[in-house]
Amino acid sequence: APTEAPRPVTFTVTTVSAESAPALSKADVQLFLGNERKPVAGWAEDDTLHLAILIDDTIAVGAADNWNDLRQFILAQPATTHVAVGYLRFGVATLAQDFTTDHEAAASALRAPMGAAGSSSSPYVATMDLLRRWPNAGPRRSILLISTGVDFFAGRHQGPILPDVDPLIRRAQVQNTNIWTVFYPGGGHRARKFTHVLNGQENLARLAEATGGELFALGPGVPASLKPHFDEIAAHLGRQHLLTFMAVRGEKGRHVDVNVRTEVPDTELLAPSAVFLPAAK
């Protein structure tokens, strides 16, 4: 059988650096697939972003005190950013506003979460529900997930890693979606249990890091303000590149571990822990 020619594979990398640090060029970026170094074929900016803001309906109603800051975050997005706003309950993502470049409309879709009333649901299953229906649009995608991270379906007896987290990670990697997680405590008394909080944060951290995002949490309690988180996420979204490399695809699609590094001082790169190589046609 003829050997298939290598084809481009692209994923998003976020640069986190001091303001004074120089902009990275392709030559500054090192890519490893497993232990093997691969040449970087492309390092491009892409103005178009699809950003879904997902609010877990189990978080405390008081989270809505931060919605003015979230509104400002949405309104400050570049004109080329398509924003959707959805609420997670009973394992489903219900979009209050589908993807739109009308940021006023997206900001208007914010409402207070239901608190304990919306509980008995997995935020991971509901986020997966959105990914399954996500329109095939543009390579650069992000989710801003505001959640307790707790899955009351699975309970905390399932061990530290909840069962729906890793399937969601793999799906997000297939669709090149960075997930930025913001912890907010739950509305009910049960959700405030320290074991739940710790477990929720651990799972949110795992989800964010493996998809090239980051967890934002300031301890177990109600944060004084979410504005610093939103500001930092906005800065991250403004410093993203699409990294392309060439890979030979197998008969079946597969995930391969990736590691992206740079030796430029004061600069860190956020990237998914693995990317998906689609099956050869």
Side-chain angles (χ1 to χ4, degrees), residues 28-52:
D28 297 320
V29 182
Q30 300 170 5
L31 169 68
F32 295 84
L33 247 62
N35 296 323
E36 183 195 357
R37 187 161 172 187
K38 281 276 200 189
V40 175
W43 179 251
E45 290 186 15
D46 181 4
D47 290 340
T48 304
L49 169 68
H50 283 73
L51 171 65

Side-chain angles (χ1 to χ4, degrees), residues 36-135:
E36 183 195 357
R37 187 161 172 187
K38 281 276 200 189
V40 175
W43 179 251
E45 290 186 15
D46 181 4
D47 290 340
T48 304
L49 169 68
H50 283 73
L51 171 65
I53 295 168
L54 299 182
I55 295 160
D56 183 344
D57 250 335
T58 67
I59 62 174
V61 179
D65 295 347
N66 296 278
W67 281 186
N68 202 35
D69 293 326
L70 184 51
R71 200 170 271 119
Q72 295 310 316
F73 166 83
I74 293 170
L75 295 176
Q77 286 299 309
T80 47
T81 299
H82 302 249
V83 182
V85 175
Y87 295 87
L88 308 181
R89 60 183 182 278
F90 305 125
V92 175
T94 304
L95 290 186
Q97 172 60 57
D98 209 337
F99 289 99
T100 179
T101 52
D102 181 348
H103 298 158
E104 284 283 354
S108 303
L110 295 173
R111 63 155 171 79
M114 292 180 172
S119 69
S120 78
S121 177
S122 162
Y124 308 107
V125 171
T127 303
M128 177 75 99
D129 173 59
L130 176 87
L131 280 182
R132 285 202 179 102
R133 293 181 286 129
W134 193 307

Side-chain angles (χ1 to χ4, degrees), residues 134-180:
W134 193 307
N136 192 9
R140 200 163 70 97
R141 306 165 174 218
S142 275
I143 289 173
L144 166 51
L145 171 62
I146 305 173
S147 176
T148 62
V150 176
D151 174 357
F152 289 110
F153 269 165
R156 61 194 170 90
H157 308 295
Q158 293 270 352
I161 299 305
L162 292 167
D164 299 305
V165 173
D166 286 348
L168 175 57
I169 287 170
R170 287 194 291 275
R171 180 78 188 215
Q173 289 170 345
V174 168
Q175 294 179 232
N176 188 33
T177 305
N178 308 128
I179 303 181
W180 309 90

Side-chain angles (χ1 to χ4, degrees), residues 171-248:
R171 180 78 188 215
Q173 289 170 345
V174 168
Q175 294 179 232
N176 188 33
T177 305
N178 308 128
I179 303 181
W180 309 90
T181 56
V182 174
F183 169 79
Y184 203 92
H189 173 72
R190 185 166 67 129
R192 305 271 171 127
K193 278 188 180 167
F194 193 67
T195 43
H196 277 324
V197 167
L198 220 58
N199 182 250
Q201 289 189 356
E202 193 177 327
N203 283 279
L204 289 174
R206 182 183 180 92
L207 173 62
E209 285 160 21
T211 60
E214 205 174 347
L215 163 69
F216 295 85
L218 293 172
V222 172
S225 165
L226 295 180
K227 185 179 186 310
H229 298 339
F230 298 146
D231 289 348
E232 202 171 325
I233 292 167
H236 288 343
L237 294 176
R239 305 194 68 174
Q240 291 193 318
H241 285 79
L242 292 173
L243 187 158
T244 301
F245 65 96
M246 305 302 287
V248 174

